[in-house]
Amino acid sequence: LVALLAVAGSVSAATQLKGAEAPDFVLKSLSGENLRLSEYRGEVVMLSFWATWCGDCRAQLSELATMRDRYQDAGVELLAVSLDQNSRQASEVMAGASYPVLHDAAGEVGRLYDVTKMPVMVLIDRGGVVREVFEGFRRGNDEQYLERVQALLRE
């Protein structure tokens, strides 16, 4: 998986998911329950792929968590998918998270979404369609996220 993540030169297939139905999956959450993406139909979902060793991932998750807490009552959910091989690492970093943290040890969901670099945030509309794919994270990206989430909430 690490070798796969190092190959980040071209436009990834993740961005080609835009406009398509979000691939469904089931993953175990750090709290122990299995969660299915399609169970969140009717909500705007921020699907974030991250790993504990990725500093930009943690910065992005912090911004997304703030947005999720602010807009949860309006129908926004954040699903954080850890691509760490060991769930203990993710558990330590994410202890006390207010949103579902899922563990993808085998990297199957990461491959389903063609995650080749991190972080990746996939924005899914209420109907389950991928509307945006954001690869990488820089300061100021949160304003772009907020704009797109608010637009989807207005639909």
Side-chain angles (χ1 to χ4, degrees), residues 76-97:
V76 174
E77 186 55 89
L78 167 60
L79 299 178
V81 178
S82 165
L83 294 174
D84 287 294
Q85 292 181 334
N86 184 332
S87 67
R88 190 176 45 78
Q89 295 166 301
S91 295
E92 290 169 5
V93 171
M94 300 305 285

Side-chain angles (χ1 to χ4, degrees), residues 85-138:
Q85 292 181 334
N86 184 332
S87 67
R88 190 176 45 78
Q89 295 166 301
S91 295
E92 290 169 5
V93 171
M94 300 305 285
S98 61
Y99 48 87
V101 178
L102 310 172
H103 188 233
D104 184 20
E108 290 172 13
V109 177
R111 281 191 294 282
L112 196 59
Y113 281 83
D114 198 45
V115 175
T116 55
K117 56 184 171 180
M118 285 196 277
V120 168
M121 193 271 275
V122 180
L123 192 56
I124 302 167
D125 69 17
R126 294 177 194 269
V129 174
V130 174
R131 298 296 286 274
E132 295 287 340
V133 177
F134 298 95
E135 296 182 317
F137 179 75
R138 287 180 300 288

Side-chain angles (χ1 to χ4, degrees), residues 55-74:
D56 285 347
C57 296
R58 291 199 300 271
Q60 182 192 57
L61 275 173
S62 173
E63 298 293 342
L64 295 177
T66 300
M67 207 179 323
R68 182 260 189 187
D69 292 345
R70 186 169 158 196
Y71 290 98
Q72 185 180 16
D73 290 344

